[in-house]
Amino acid sequence: MYLHHLRLAAIGPYAETVDIDFAALGASGVFLLEGPTGAGKSTIIDAVVFALYGSLAGEGASKDRLHSHHAEAGVEPFVELVFETAAGVHRVRRTPAHDRPKKSGGGTTRQNASARLWRLAAPGDAVGEPLSIATQEVGAEVQRIIGLDRAQFVQTVVLPQGEFARFLRAPGEDRRALLQSLFGTDVYERTTEELVARRRAAAAAVERADAAVHDALNRLAEAAGLETVDELAADAVVVEVTAAAHEATTARDAAAGAAARARADLADAERRARSLRRRADLLRRQAALSDRAEQVAGARARLELAERAGRVLGLVVGLDTARTRAERRGADLARVVAEHRDALTRHTVGVGAGAGGAPLDADGSVFEDLESMPAVDTTALAAHAAALRDVVAGVRHAVALERDLPARRAALASARTELARAEERRAALEPLLDARPAERLALVTISRAAADRAADGPVAERALADLDAVRVLLDDRDRAAADATAADADLAAASLRAQAAITHEADLRTRRAAGLAGELAGVLTPGEPCPVCGSVDHPAVAAPLDGHPTDDDIEAAADARATADVDQRAAAARQAVARRECDRLTTAIGAATPESVAATASALRDRIARAHAAAAEVARAEEQLEAFDRDTRALAEERSTLAAQVAAGRAGHAADTAALAADEATVERCRASVVDAGGVGTGSLDQAVAALDRDAAACAAVAAAADALRSDDRDVLARAAEVERALGDAGFADADAARAAGLGPDEASRLRSEVAGAEREHAVVQAGLAEADVAAAEHDAVDGAELEAVRTRADGAEEALQTATGAAATAEARAVATSARRADLTRAVRARQETSAESRAVVRLADIATAASSVNPTGITLGTYVLMRRFEDVVAAANSRLGAMLGGRFALEASDERETSSRARRTGLALAVRDHETGRTRDPRSLSGGETFTTSLCLALGLADVVQAEAGGVELGTLFVDEGFGTLDPETLDGVVGQLTRLTAGGRQVGIVSHVEELKQRIPDRIEVRRAPGGGSTVRTTV
């Protein structure tokens, strides 16, 4: 991953917008990010990590410190980063959560964090293609694009302050968690857990399979009616049960044939007996019909007369109903006219005297016929009602206007009062705001004076830090002197051991040569040629010497001499290195002593204390200035608000006054329209409109009642003529004769039931007597004893069939169940075999992964094994750089030793440092500051190399190192910078974050961070 461009504003100490072109800085490979301590160098690293992952580089750092306290309150803080990976060029923009001024009113409100992501056609693309605006989606997409999560990023791309040496000094268990996160090896832990779960499941499955076979055998025995069944005898049991079922089925079929024949004989006898009884019953019913014949004929005649009367009576009832309805309509008309007489008097339209000249009755009497109806012009009256409704509709809107007039007049008066108060307050604010600039200048003068005093603090702190480096050199010189003395003693002892080993080897070789004849004599065999002279005669065989050295003795002495020689050379090398280190430290320290260093440090601490006090004074002054500015802005905003309020109030008051006058004129015009239409002119417009609406309803009601009465009278005349015609057609003299011939519902129903019952009974009797079996029964009688004998034989056959059927059903069910249980047993046995075969592989894999002693005696689990191999790769990659940086003195070693306590488990991830000068293994925490920094840097670079390879070839084109260069001596600094420079040969960018002055001479491309005079910091790029 390559960084192209970083842009930020209102972040940390940077109040203004900061632009950093990493592409231009990285052209030479290495660039320097330098500036005073606390000026904001690490903030730039935090901004890069925040843009990508929404959190800071340092572990546990709070994002609340991102929003700059030096920026104006209304400036939005943001970080925008353009970066490139194999997936293309992208731009990400994030804003942290922060407090911003409210858009209306005073105070602040919390603004949530936001994120946006674009895909760019090129690094300079200003628009791009939007990919996401959701914070969580942006985080997931960035991680997918880069191929690293935040933990991997800060261990491989950004090496932040406070986190640099954590991996070097961490216990094995903590290192295990970090490596699992970086390499994603928790999948192997989950695999082990899954295998253990499957091993338990496999064991349970085997037990269930055994239980299933046992259960299938029990079910087979139960189905066959046996106590127990052996697995080998299952097939024989099935054959035996099947044969018994076949025998029972044959017996059932024979019994069924006999029962069928007996049932046929019984059915024939019972049929003939039923026919004889049915014929006797039909003859009795035929005689009863003859006795009732005359009564049924009279009922038929009465029903016919009632049917003719019914056709007339329906019309008579309709005529009576119509007359009653007409009478009600007349009464309704009189009532409506009397009810609305006042309205009809005001609106003399459509109502006059009757057609015969009689005036309209005032008491609401009912008119007997159309001639006596009042003269009502329904058309004119309905048209007048519609006209009144139109007037009401045209003025109804003015009712609400009239109702709101008093409140609007009061509101206008109140608005005039408020406008006057606002004008007074605005005038009072002018002198207050005019005095604010002079007051602010006084506060700024106090703040700047304190800032000048506080500026001495960083200078004194840097000097004190330099003294700490001198103190470390003093301690290192004392240790180096002790190491040199010890190296002298080790070299002397190694030289003595080497000389003794040489003497011992020479002595053995001399003794071996002297006793060679005796050694050869020991291998002579009578009759065999001598290996020296070839003779088969051996007259004077030499005797072997006591303690004669063997080849193995000589070889062992030679090995011991070689080992002693190597030890001597190594001791000599360590002694030379120790002496050089002691001389180097003595030269570097010069005339400094612990006492002079302590005195200088005390004076510097006093300066720092005074500067800190001044810094506190600056902070208080800045708080007062910030509060003063807030008050000034509040007064200015209040003045602007009042000015806008006055202008708007004046315009609104004029408009409201004009609108009120127009609405008052509208109300008066509507009142005149109501009066013109015949309405009242006194009271409110609402009351006048309601009265006119009631008059319109009255006119409409009278017209509707008159129309209904005329329609009903015409219906009465038509129905009377229809009744007269129907009486003549039915042969009745009048309606009373027709009513006398009618029948009540109950009587008519009884007569119809009587006639219909007689007709149905006659038809049934005739049809029954005509049936063949009934007719034959006259000559075919069945003896009772014969019928009983046939029934007895049929009952016996049925009982035999039931017995045979039950036995056959039982045998067949047993056979079916036995066959099914045999199939279940076969499946259970097959499943047990398959389960056993499958479980063996699962159990073995689980035992290997969990380091079960039976199959994995190493005691190393699968997850630990994978981490050990990755850790070995990291250590090897670190050692390849560590040798070049520190002249081959140190090398890292991985082991499975316990680290922190005797109870800590062996993880295989313990880390130690091999000191080649002393030949001893050291705890990483025993290294000096410079050694710790160099070793940690090599380990971090090695970790980055392995993570890059493990992450599927993720390209790590940019690297930031943010710590520790101030602890290095010039020689070591050369080696470290040289190694970092070699990283750029493959196109990588390396950013070094430091305030070490010597690096400015070595690295020309720089990002310079400086404190601004008024607070905060500024950034300048030098390429």
Side-chain angles (χ1 to χ4, degrees), residues 442-476:
L443 292 176
V444 170
T445 302
I446 295 173
S447 176
R448 287 176 178 174
D452 292 340
R453 295 193 301 273
D456 185 52
V459 177
E461 288 175 351
R462 288 194 295 273
L464 185 60
D466 294 338
L467 280 182
D468 291 338
V470 173
R471 188 179 292 108
V472 170
L473 290 176
L474 286 171
D475 294 340
D476 290 345

Side-chain angles (χ1 to χ4, degrees), residues 621-799:
E622 287 180 349
E623 290 177 358
Q624 293 174 357
L625 186 61
E626 183 178 355
F628 185 85
D629 289 342
R630 283 199 303 270
D631 294 341
T632 302
R633 287 194 296 272
L635 291 174
E637 289 175 0
E638 184 181 3
R639 181 179 62 182
S640 299
T641 301
L642 289 173
Q645 182 179 343
V646 168
R650 289 172 178 171
H653 184 268
D656 292 344
T657 302
L660 178 62
D663 290 343
E664 288 174 341
T666 299
V667 170
E668 291 305 320
R669 285 196 303 273
C670 291
R671 189 188 303 277
S673 298
V674 172
V675 173
D676 293 343
V680 296
T682 60
S684 67
L685 181 62
D686 189 10
Q687 294 171 341
V689 170
L692 192 62
D693 198 14
R694 288 193 297 272
D695 290 350
C699 293
V702 171
D707 280 342
L709 178 58
R710 285 191 178 90
S711 176
D712 288 346
D713 281 341
R714 286 192 294 269
D715 185 50
V716 168
L717 294 175
R719 287 179 180 272
E722 188 177 5
V723 168
E724 289 298 327
R725 288 193 299 272
L727 288 172
D729 293 340
F732 292 105
D734 52 24
D736 293 336
R739 291 190 184 94
L743 288 174
D746 294 341
E747 180 64 15
S749 176
R750 184 186 66 76
L751 292 176
R752 281 193 293 271
S753 297
E754 181 179 354
V755 172
E759 291 176 349
R760 286 196 301 273
E761 180 70 7
H762 181 268
V764 169
V765 169
Q766 294 302 317
L769 292 175
E771 293 176 0
D773 289 345
V774 174
E778 183 179 1
H779 309 290
D780 185 12
V782 178
D783 183 71
E786 179 184 355
L787 179 60
E788 188 62 30
V790 172
R791 182 175 287 110
T792 300
R793 289 195 301 274
D795 291 342
E798 288 294 338
E799 292 178 1

